[in-house]
Amino acid sequence: MKAYIIVDITITDPALYEDYKKLTPASLVPYEGRFIVRGGATETLEGDWKPGRLVILEFPSAEKARAWWSSDTYAPAKALRQAASHTQLILAEGCL
């Protein structure tokens, strides 16, 4: 079953965040992850959620998503993201 990592990001250090963006794509490859949404425009249709930068990643399974997030491959990029932003990050399983 596919799984999605959904991230709402408020960038606090744009220059450092640019370094993060350069490292992340290669870290996804071993886990078959891919970007579905990467910082495009958002529009709130209901409620009061006002996301910052919205990112959605797709993985073939929740196990691969968790493995990527906790991997040594992603660790350097994750440290940059954590230093350059405030994030809310969830894992959601798909329905198929």
Side-chain angles (χ1 to χ4, degrees):
M1 177 183 311
K2 289 188 179 183
Y4 301 87
I5 289 182
I6 303 165
V7 192
D8 181 357
I9 304 165
T10 302
I11 299 169
T12 57
D13 184 335
L16 191 57
Y17 194 82
E18 287 300 315
D19 293 337
Y20 164 74
K21 286 176 21 182
K22 293 173 190 170
L23 289 179
T24 302
S27 75
L28 293 166
V29 173
Y31 304 94
E32 302 173 70
R34 68 183 188 108
F35 289 101
I36 301 296
V37 173
R38 192 176 188 194
T42 62
E43 177 183 354
T44 301
L45 298 177
E46 290 189 30
D48 59 3
W49 184 22
K50 293 176 179 43
R53 179 181 171 82
L54 189 66
V55 176
I56 301 174
L57 302 161
E58 180 184 70
F59 292 86
S61 68
E63 292 76 21
K64 286 208 175 199
R66 283 187 203 97
W68 167 76
W69 181 80
S70 63
S71 71
D72 291 340
T73 306
Y74 179 54
K78 184 198 285 188
L80 288 174
R81 177 182 50 78
Q82 291 171 337
S85 66
H86 297 288
T87 59
Q88 301 291 317
L89 188 146
I90 64 167
L91 173 63
E93 290 187 359
C95 58
L96 298 177

